[in-house]
Amino acid sequence: MKVRFMKLSQLSAIIFSILSAAPAFAHEYWLSPVNYQVESGEKIAAHFRNGEEFTGAAFPYLPNRLTRFEVKIGGKEVPLSPRAGDSPALSLPAPEGDALVVAVAETTPSKVTYEDFDKFLRFAKHKDFPKAESDHRANGWSTEKVVESYTRHVKTLIALGAGAGQDAPNGMATEFVALTNPYAADFAGKMKVALLYQGTPRANAQIEVFDRAPDDSVTITLHRTDAAGEALVPVTAGHEYLFDAVVLRAAAEAQASAGYDPDQPVWETLWATLTFAVPQ
């Protein structure tokens, strides 16, 4: 039997076409650990996933799709040496000790084209940007075709042993920072997070929370950051969580005139996600 292997460029093109073909409305992208709690000698491993309602296909490591991919164990960065096509995308041996493992990744820009302006407006409404339509029209941008550029800024929390430690800002364009550690022995069932954009807290910003129960059912709730850019979200032991927040801004390529190129993005979205689990 002959086994044919795809070149990285072929594999990347297929995956890119799948992701690009999927409508951007309510599609999340996240780091999905194989296990949220690991012991020394086991594997710290995670897939990239893209989908809806906390369910999605797993994708391998593709270096040309990422601008950043890092892991910190106990606050110290550890070297990664993934190879193109690795699945899980993240896989490294767990060292000895008790520590909070924080993995982060940022993607290269991708594009999506809306040929239905109402669909774009539904997306903007869902992600809590009520001024999108008025700003779009004020800039004189076409409503026949709307091109959006988007990037993903993802983080996951894994417990090594007891998972002792604390998350911290990682300098991503937008990110969640866990202000409480869900693996700590004194965790009281409320996850406190800060939401940052360009290093600055995002006040009064929407956070969409996906809560997966042990029976795989998913509950979705909306929350909002306070004036300090922080939110306190009740969570349940034995459940897995995905926090999602989106920045919508005018794209750098856009021109506020009739002379802009309609094939270039006029809007840009930056998606921040955080995944973790709460131990039983």
Side-chain angles (χ1 to χ4, degrees):
M1 181 177 66
K2 293 183 178 180
V3 179
R4 298 180 64 185
F5 293 94
M6 290 186 180
K7 295 180 180 179
L8 172 60
S9 58
Q10 294 173 313
L11 179 61
S12 178
I14 291 171
I15 292 174
F16 178 74
S17 67
I18 293 171
L19 295 178
S20 299
F25 182 72
H27 274 67
E28 284 71 39
Y29 179 88
W30 65 96
L31 270 168
S32 175
V34 175
N35 293 296
Y36 282 96
Q37 294 175 275
V38 298
E39 300 296 333
S40 176
E42 297 179 344
K43 286 286 187 180
I44 298 170
H47 296 277
F48 289 109
R49 292 191 184 276
N50 179 272
E52 290 184 284
E53 298 185 359
F54 212 1
T55 301
F59 294 95
Y61 172 69
L62 295 172
N64 61 333
R65 300 293 297 133
L66 298 172
T67 60
R68 182 177 182 183
F69 190 30
E70 299 172 2
V71 173
K72 291 182 179 179
I73 300 178
K76 297 181 179 180
E77 188 172 342
V78 298
L80 295 179
S81 54
R83 295 180 298 180
D86 277 358
S87 183
L90 170 64
S91 182
L92 71 158
E96 295 184 359
D98 296 311
L100 182 67
V101 179
V102 180
V104 302
E106 294 185 281
T107 68
T108 56
S110 297
K111 292 181 183 179
V112 62
T113 299
Y114 295 88
E115 295 184 349
D116 180 347
F117 189 53
D118 286 340
K119 187 174 182 179
F120 168 74
L121 295 181
R122 290 195 298 272
F123 164 73
K125 180 180 179 181
H126 177 69
K127 293 303 180 183
D128 193 39
F129 294 96
K131 292 182 59 183
E133 180 175 12
S134 59
D135 289 348
H136 190 99
R137 294 186 184 279
N139 284 326
W141 297 334
S142 172
T143 59
E144 299 298 318
K145 180 172 70 173
V146 180
V147 182
E148 171 202 330
S149 172
Y150 61 91
T151 52
R152 311 292 195 159
H153 312 268
V154 302
K155 176 186 289 187
T156 194
L157 306 179
I158 301 171
L160 170 60
Q166 187 63 52
D167 187 24
N170 285 271
M172 291 195 284
T174 181
E175 70 176 301
F176 285 101
V177 179
L179 302 179
T180 49
N181 182 344
Y183 308 109
D186 60 353
F187 181 68
K190 291 187 177 180
M191 189 66 176
K192 188 175 185 180
V193 295
L195 179 59
L196 305 181
Y197 168 56
Q198 296 181 335
T200 301
R202 285 188 65 196
N204 194 35
Q206 177 179 287
I207 297 174
E208 193 165 7
V209 172
F210 300 80
D211 175 342
R212 190 199 312 280
D215 64 0
D216 279 338
S217 62
V218 176
T219 303
I220 304 171
T221 55
L222 297 179
H223 303 262
R224 192 165 292 278
T225 60
D226 59 19
E230 299 176 358
L232 190 64
V233 180
V235 293
T236 304
H239 288 219
E240 179 186 4
Y241 289 89
L242 165 65
F243 285 20
D244 172 87
V246 176
V247 172
L248 176 67
R249 67 188 187 188
E253 299 92 335
Q255 301 290 329
S257 72
Y260 79 97
D261 183 350
D263 292 322
Q264 292 299 314
V266 293
W267 290 105
E268 182 178 11
T269 53
L270 296 81
W271 300 61
T273 59
L274 171 69
T275 49
F276 63 93
V278 183
Q280 288 281 11

